[in-house]
Amino acid sequence: MEKIIEEEKQGTTLKLESKASNTRKLFIESYGCQMNFSDSEIVASILAKEGFNTTNRLEEADLVLVNTCSIRDKAEQTVRKRLEKYNRVKREQNPNMKVGVLGCMAERLKAKFLEEEKIVDMVVGPDAYKDLPNLVAEVDEGRDAVNVILSKEETYGDIAPVRLNSNGVTAFVSITRGCDNMCTFCVVPFTRGRERSRDPQSILEEIADLVSKGFKEVTLLGQNVDSFLWYGGGLKKDFKKASLMQQATAVDFAQLLHMVAAAQPNLRVRFSTSNPQDISDDVLHAIAQHRNICNYIHLPVQSGSNRILKEMNRLHTREEYMALIDRVHAIIPNCAVSQDMISGFPTETEEDHQDTLSLMEYVKYDYGFMFAYSERPGTMAARKMEDDVPEDVKKRRLNEIIDVQRRTGLERAQFFLGKTVEVLIEKESKRSDQHWAGRNTQNYMTIFPKDDYKVGEFVMVKVTDCTSATLIGEAVGYSDMAGPLTIEND
Ligand code: SF4
């Protein structure tokens, strides 16, 4: 029998699903992208069937799992620090606890992880989570356990995730796994394998289940959602070998968006992450056609220089990217766009850097994720290119990129001053227990006094102030779930 344990944190109730009959305790924490957080909910579900309930207390856990990220060296250093912490707890408070590493760092290092980190008993790659019951049994018998086989089919579409630290309002739903785009700086294709998509029926069922539990928003997740293509299972790259019937009845990302939005008209739909070389205008039209698909696209570009884009194996030019941005704004009114940017990619000159700054001036992003280049072992860039841009130059260029983003971000946020926007209340504001926080369709966090409103409600908020990332205002009533999402005030 399932039971919901309610836990007060910051004035918002976090729900931990648990089974009364389960006696073992699982502590699981995640780092990196939303895919990792979504995968950890799959892992919790698989282990719930093996007698594990989740706990937030390390010192009482029988099994400690960390879902790791390998996107930059810093992310891996963070994991190694956590393992030191586990070591202390094991030594001082919990000698029987077993430790496992999941995710991209586990896939990158494989069995070497056991040699490098003695505290680790188990190494499991992103496609091997269904083997956890066997691996845990091996560890219980005192043996180390490793499974890092990448799959051609696995989408975990038949696993109902256990929502971890959930606010009960928003949830991730993974729709595709892996990535076939071999960007030269990126470790993901090596740690998450080839692209494969999930059966739309299982996606719609998971979403219907979330709606029945009161969730109000889903984010469709994938390393590259625009590459979503369901044709009965198997790798995207084998689509051409499929039967004519399979090809004729295949479901691409735009069609999936229409299906989800139409099936649940009162549910907000977001998605991440898009890729400029794969996104279609059909996706843009699907967003424009459905009120409940949010007017926001995360569209990583990484550099504004055509020469660097080529070195990165990004299959578009700056001009094609700018034309795409023009189409986004032409097709979707008031659409917000965010970016990923890398400073200091190998051979990057001052001129290339200026191209990045001028592209940002043209696009005027709402916000972004900006990092200095971090060489990743095994990638094409690491194998073929010297990491030749000095660290201080990388840092200076990164700061210049962040400065442009801060300025254009503020300009974009100021667009909402005096307007009224629809907001879904998610939680209490970090800064005040008298204020709610929630996002508008453009993904801006919006803060306003609680009054009598509640978490999970859609309210209309008049924006009176802003920072480059946050809107501040007053709630003026409930949303009728039909009218405009952003209203000009007279
Ligand atoms: S699109 Fe490029 S950057 Fe994104 S996950 Fe795939 S390989 Fe990595």
Side-chain angles (χ1 to χ4, degrees):
M1 194 270 309
E2 292 238 350
K3 194 171 58 176
I4 302 283
I5 300 180
E6 305 225 341
E7 201 177 282
E8 281 299 317
K9 201 168 171 192
Q10 262 207 306
T12 306
T13 310
L14 294 184
K15 298 185 174 136
L16 289 176
E17 293 176 25
S18 83
K19 248 192 191 145
S21 57
N22 285 355
T23 53
R24 304 187 77 183
K25 292 232 174 357
L26 165 67
F27 177 96
I28 182 165
E29 58 180 349
S30 314
Y31 293 88
C33 67
Q34 296 166 327
M35 278 303 283
N36 259 5
F37 285 79
S38 167
D39 281 357
S40 294
E41 297 185 334
I42 299 278
V43 167
S45 177
I46 291 169
L47 290 173
K49 294 193 177 62
E50 301 302 310
F52 286 89
N53 280 338
T54 52
T55 173
N56 284 331
R57 302 183 57 213
L58 200 47
E59 59 284 2
E60 69 174 23
D62 300 295
L63 180 62
V64 175
L65 296 178
V66 54
N67 203 340
T68 65
C69 173
S70 204
I71 204 77
R72 276 172 291 279
D73 184 55
K74 190 159 177 285
E76 294 199 352
Q77 295 318 321
T78 304
V79 168
R80 292 191 192 273
K81 284 211 188 70
R82 288 305 288 165
L83 293 172
E84 286 167 22
K85 161 86 180 179
Y86 299 167
N87 222 343
R88 278 197 305 282
V89 171
K90 182 167 179 139
R91 238 190 0 260
E92 296 157 13
Q93 297 164 281
N94 187 358
N96 301 322
M97 81 185 209
K98 297 295 180 188
V99 173
V101 287
L102 314 177
C104 292
M105 193 179 170
E107 188 67 43
R108 189 178 79 71
L109 291 173
K110 302 182 176 22
K112 227 172 86 202
F113 219 141
L114 297 168
E115 296 149 29
E116 292 184 7
E117 302 285 349
K118 297 297 176 218
I119 179 97
V120 174
D121 304 293
M122 184 166 68
V123 181
V124 193
D127 285 350
Y129 298 147
K130 281 185 182 165
D131 194 27
L132 274 164
N134 302 323
L135 299 168
V136 169
E138 282 197 52
V139 168
D140 284 345
E141 280 152 30
R143 290 188 298 276
D144 289 339
V146 178
N147 186 339
V148 286
I149 298 169
L150 287 173
S151 166
K152 291 188 174 168
E153 292 88 29
E154 189 59 77
T155 65
Y156 302 116
D158 54 344
I159 307 280
V162 165
R163 306 294 160 181
L164 297 170
N165 300 321
S166 170
N167 59 11
V169 175
T170 61
F172 296 138
V173 174
S174 83
I175 63 168
T176 175
R177 299 182 74 81
C179 187
D180 291 354
N181 296 335
M182 300 301 280
C183 302
T184 56
F185 55 83
C186 186
V187 78
V188 170
F190 306 96
T191 59
R192 287 192 167 264
R194 300 280 70 73
E195 278 166 16
R196 66 224 99 113
S197 299
R198 192 176 154 194
D199 181 345
Q201 280 321 312
S202 82
I203 296 170
L204 290 172
E205 280 156 25
E206 182 178 336
I207 291 174
D209 177 59
L210 285 166
V211 170
S212 72
K213 289 179 174 152
F215 284 81
K216 297 290 173 33
E217 178 183 291
V218 292
T219 300
L220 306 179
L221 282 185
Q223 248 62 57
N224 180 7
V225 290
D226 298 305
S227 225
F228 178 92
L229 185 66
W230 171 258
Y231 63 99
L235 293 176
K236 167 105 188 257
K237 70 178 183 59
D238 297 334
F239 177 62
K240 289 204 173 46
K241 297 181 208 149
S243 71
L244 290 179
M245 172 56 99
Q246 283 178 310
Q247 295 191 21
T249 56
V251 177
D252 67 14
F253 187 49
Q255 290 163 317
L256 179 71
L257 282 175
H258 283 294
M259 289 163 78
V260 172
Q264 303 290 348
N266 287 327
L267 179 78
R268 251 196 194 169
V269 181
R270 297 185 186 279
F271 57 85
S272 187
T273 295
S274 268
N275 188 298
Q277 66 213 49
D278 297 311
I279 193 167
S280 69
D281 285 6
D282 289 348
V283 167
L284 305 182
H285 288 294
I287 299 171
Q289 189 183 323
H290 297 276
R291 182 184 185 283
N292 60 330
I293 303 180
C294 291
N295 296 351
Y296 161 65
I297 305 175
H298 181 52
L299 212 50
V301 70
Q302 311 296 0
S303 171
S305 151
N306 280 334
R307 192 184 67 80
I308 294 294
L309 286 170
K310 208 155 190 300
E311 295 289 348
M312 287 176 164
N313 192 30
R314 304 284 285 183
L315 306 181
H316 63 81
T317 63
R318 71 180 267 126
E319 291 75 19
E320 285 163 340
Y321 184 86
M322 292 155 93
L324 170 60
I325 295 294
D326 294 345
R327 290 199 305 281
V328 167
H329 291 310
I331 297 169
I332 312 164
N334 306 328
C335 188
V337 180
S338 59
Q339 43 88 352
D340 286 356
M341 210 62 86
I342 294 175
S343 74
F345 185 78
T347 75
E348 185 187 70
T349 63
E350 204 50 41
E351 193 195 340
D352 296 320
H353 173 56
Q354 291 306 321
D355 284 345
T356 294
L357 299 181
S358 64
L359 178 115
M360 293 179 73
E361 295 288 358
Y362 180 85
V363 177
K364 296 200 181 321
Y365 290 102
D366 293 79
Y367 63 94
F369 305 90
M370 299 148 281
F371 298 93
Y373 173 69
S374 168
E375 185 180 84
R376 305 314 299 133
T379 59
M380 186 66 86
R383 280 183 273 140
K384 298 269 165 78
M385 303 173 194
E386 192 205 335
D387 185 2
D388 59 357
V389 178
E391 282 306 314
D392 61 333
V393 174
K394 282 183 188 173
K395 290 244 162 17
R396 190 260 300 162
R397 289 177 184 169
L398 179 61
N399 289 335
E400 288 173 8
I401 288 171
I402 292 171
D403 287 348
V404 172
Q405 182 52 55
R406 214 174 265 130
R407 178 167 42 74
T408 57
L410 182 59
E411 277 173 43
R412 296 287 296 171
Q414 286 167 339
F415 160 82
F416 294 100
L417 289 178
K419 294 186 174 64
T420 298
V421 295
E422 183 194 73
V423 172
L424 169 58
I425 305 176
E426 290 174 37
K427 58 186 175 183
E428 198 169 80
S429 157
K430 278 202 196 91
R431 298 244 175 89
S432 151
D433 59 10
Q434 302 304 308
H435 289 73
W436 285 132
R439 287 166 294 147
N440 68 354
T441 186
Q442 287 89 0
N443 212 32
Y444 276 81
M445 196 50 82
T446 309
I447 312 293
F448 56 96
K450 286 184 176 177
D451 295 341
D452 299 332
Y453 300 106
K454 295 185 194 59
V455 168
E457 292 180 330
F458 287 93
V459 294
M460 301 308 290
V461 175
K462 180 168 181 195
V463 179
T464 53
D465 197 357
C466 69
T467 67
S468 61
T470 308
L471 307 180
I472 296 146
E474 306 276 333
V476 292
Y478 291 103
S479 167
D480 63 4
M481 306 301 285
L485 294 157
T486 306
I487 306 171
E488 286 287 345
N489 279 333
D490 34 328

